[in-house]
């Protein structure tokens, strides 16, 4: 069986110009570090300690939420053999939010798909196409009914394992945003590899301009101009492999255990909360454009840029004034509310 090299890349980009046009006094404190499987950068207009605290907070959360660290709470839950595992309030909040989003997205977001993600090789970059029986067997351990949240803990059915990779970076960005805001920071940009979160506006008062990556090349598909927002992209190209000309990507459709093929090449979700946008970008990638439009019609807490495999670009109505497409995407359709 042929094995192709993984294709990895960041999906949304903080445009470099956004951070360089200020005077010496307005220079941000910048901290870069590797966490949650991603290279992260925070640019904070505040004290150096504010920037340093970003790294401390993300690393602390990673210790709680990591699926591979044998000391994490998620690891403990995954290895509890059907017994209850007590969770810290932070881990509990992330899991219960994922459960709520699973209901809201009709099961498209499902943190119990982890054993299937692993079987396809996406966790260790050792890709292969599993046989149907293996997928069927693994599917008997997935689904919301295999997970019970107790007053302060979690019980997973034996054989069920969870992974918060679909929402962890967004959750970390929300917690960092709350901490920075509490410490008086009014301008900052967090670039958590595909998850961008901005606090306030730029120091000169103008909004932040965030680039939306073209899933078919290295250029931008457009830019979105925001303040106090989260901009999160999920794309099949971020981690994928090809066998016999067929591309398999790392987001699994929980309804059949196969990589989602909804017609979406990438989706960028814009909203107030990083965790919400992170959950929705993963889910919409699975749901496809029609179900995503239905979801948007009964929601008022997010906007989205959807780029389809056939090259069409769709935006939700709320982006009409703040999304500017690149020349190669001049034909933009608007999803009506
Ligand atoms: P994201 O990059 O936020 O879209 O999250 C994708 C990651 O979440 C994958 O690499 C898997 O670890 C995990 N995942 C894949 N499919 C799903 C799904 N349907 N629901 C929840 N998590 C998923
Ligand atoms: Mg996500």
């Amino acid at each position: 069986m042929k094995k192709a090299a993984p294709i990895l890349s960041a999906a949304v980009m903080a445009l470099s110009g956004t951070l360089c046009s200020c005077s010496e006094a307005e220079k941000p404190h910048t901290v870069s570090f590797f966490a949650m499987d991603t290279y992260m950068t925070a640019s904070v207009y505040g004290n150096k300690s504010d920037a340093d605290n970003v790294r401390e907070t993300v690393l602390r959360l990673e210790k709680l939420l990591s699926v591979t660290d044998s000391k994490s709470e998620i690891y403990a839950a995954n290895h509890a053999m059907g017994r209850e595992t007590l969770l810290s309030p932070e881990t509990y909040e992330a899991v219960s939010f994922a459960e709520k989003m699973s209901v809201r997205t009709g099961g498209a977001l499902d943190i119990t798909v982890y054993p299937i993600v692993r079987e396809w090789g996406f966790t260790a970059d050792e890709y292969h196409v599993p046989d149907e029986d293996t997928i069927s067997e693994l599917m008997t351990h997935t689904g919301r009914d295999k997970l019970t949240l107790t007053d302060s803990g979690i019980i997973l059915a034996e054989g069920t394992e969870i992974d918060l990779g679909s929402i962890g970076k967004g959750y970390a960005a929300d917690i960092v945003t709350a901490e920075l805001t509490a410490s008086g920071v009014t301008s900052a940009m967090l670039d958590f590899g595909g998850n961008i979160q901005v606090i306030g506006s730029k120091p000169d008062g103008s909004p932040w301009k965030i680039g939306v990556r073209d899933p078919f090349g290295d250029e931008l598909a457009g830019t979105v101009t925001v303040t106090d927002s989260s901009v999160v992209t999920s794309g099949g190209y971020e981690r994928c492999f090809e066998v016999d000309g067929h591309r398999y990507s790392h987001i699994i459709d929980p309804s059949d255990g196969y990589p989602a093929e909804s017609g979406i090449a990438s989706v960028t979700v814009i909203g107030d909360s990083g965790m919400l946008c992170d959950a929705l970008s993963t889910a919409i990638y699975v749901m496809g454009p029609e179900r995503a439009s239905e979801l948007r019609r009964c929601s008022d807490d997010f906007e989205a840029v959807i780029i389809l495999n056939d090259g069409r670009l769709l935006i939700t109505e709320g982006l009409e004034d703040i999304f500017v497409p690149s020349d190669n995407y001049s034909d933009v359709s608007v999803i009506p509310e």
Side-chain angles (χ1 to χ4, degrees), residues 105-324:
T105 61
L109 187 85
D110 184 345
I111 57 173
T112 68
V113 294
Y114 176 62
I116 300 180
V117 175
R118 184 175 54 203
E119 179 62 34
W120 280 90
F122 291 114
T123 54
D125 295 346
E126 288 170 0
Y127 308 116
H128 81 122
V129 179
D131 60 53
E132 279 178 29
D133 290 347
T134 305
I135 291 179
S136 302
E137 203 284 317
L138 290 172
M139 290 278 291
T140 64
H141 301 295
T142 64
R144 275 199 306 281
D145 57 323
K146 307 291 185 307
L147 186 168
T148 308
L149 278 168
T150 60
D151 283 348
S152 50
I154 185 172
I155 301 169
L156 295 175
E158 278 194 59
T160 298
E161 293 178 68
I162 59 169
D163 159 39
L164 294 172
S166 57
I167 60 166
K169 285 186 280 173
Y171 186 42
D174 282 344
I175 292 182
V176 164
T177 295
E179 287 180 356
L180 289 175
T181 305
S183 139
V185 171
T186 56
S187 181
M189 174 182 281
L190 311 174
D191 181 347
F192 289 178
N195 288 49
I196 305 283
Q197 192 139 324
V198 298
I199 296 179
S201 47
K202 288 195 276 178
D204 66 4
S206 61
W208 303 94
K209 204 188 234 187
I210 311 296
V212 176
R213 164 98 191 253
D214 181 353
F216 306 112
D218 292 332
E219 303 302 312
L220 295 182
T223 58
V224 62
T225 305
V226 292
T227 56
D228 280 314
S229 293
S230 183
V231 182
V232 180
T233 295
S234 289
Y237 58 87
E238 288 170 337
R239 179 165 283 159
C240 59
F241 68 101
E242 259 180 45
V243 173
D244 298 334
H246 195 102
R247 181 183 278 204
Y248 299 94
S249 61
H250 66 130
I251 299 177
I252 299 294
D253 184 341
S255 70
D256 63 8
Y258 283 78
E261 292 187 17
S262 67
I264 291 181
S266 77
V267 47
T268 299
V269 177
I270 298 116
D272 292 344
S273 150
M275 181 154 64
L276 175 81
C277 293
D278 208 348
L280 284 174
S281 65
T282 309
I284 288 174
Y285 185 87
V286 172
M287 295 166 84
E290 282 81 24
R291 282 174 69 197
S293 306
E294 272 167 41
L295 178 69
R296 178 60 189 87
R297 264 175 227 123
C298 55
S299 312
D300 61 1
D301 54 359
F302 76 94
E303 304 293 341
V305 179
I306 297 177
I307 302 174
L308 301 175
N309 287 333
D310 63 13
R312 279 183 295 148
L313 191 150
L314 316 174
I315 60 168
T316 52
E317 234 174 275
L319 292 182
E320 272 185 296
D321 294 335
I322 59 169
F323 177 76
V324 177

Side-chain angles (χ1 to χ4, degrees), residues 93-111:
E93 188 186 338
V95 174
S96 62
F97 184 80
E99 286 305 279
K100 259 188 251 146
M101 291 307 292
S102 180
V103 175
R104 185 173 162 191
T105 61
L109 187 85
D110 184 345
I111 57 173

